[in-house]
Amino acid sequence: LKDNTFFATMTVKQGEITKELDSRPSDAISIALRMGAPIWVMEEVVADASIPVDREADEAEKEAFRDFVSNISPSDFAQQGRSFNQ
């Protein structure tokens, strides 16, 4: 991670020959997933790119959403006085 840009290096091996290739992270991850290869991330990158989590706020938001969803009825989605053909 440099100047808010992610970089990746893929290490590929054929026989005894090993090469390191610069890559976009999305391409490196995509190829690694298809090949069943391990994906390694430096701890510093994870720490620098992480977003702090406010667990209490998240829980309060989930509870508010649950309350909202539990009180929805099909009639809440109908447009009163209008038909769909208009």
Side-chain angles (χ1 to χ4, degrees):
L1 181 64
K2 182 177 181 182
D3 297 326
N4 292 321
T5 301
F6 291 92
F7 295 88
T9 302
M10 291 190 300
T11 304
V12 294
K13 184 175 182 179
Q14 181 179 19
E16 296 298 318
I17 301 171
T18 301
K19 300 272 186 179
E20 286 193 352
L21 307 171
D22 291 333
S23 173
R24 294 185 304 187
S26 58
D27 292 338
I29 291 169
S30 177
I31 291 170
L33 290 172
R34 285 180 173 86
M35 299 301 298
I39 299 171
W40 300 90
V41 180
M42 294 173 49
E43 288 183 33
E44 295 85 6
V45 171
V46 174
D48 289 347
S50 297
I51 298 171
V53 176
D54 184 342
R55 294 193 190 282
E56 288 181 21
D58 285 352
E59 191 57 41
E61 187 174 338
K62 282 195 292 189
E63 189 60 36
F65 184 72
R66 281 187 195 112
D67 290 343
F68 170 76
V69 169
S70 68
N71 293 313
I72 292 177
S73 70
S75 63
D76 293 333
F77 296 98
Q79 294 181 348
Q80 302 245 340
R82 296 182 61 190
S83 71
F84 289 108
N85 295 330
Q86 288 181 339

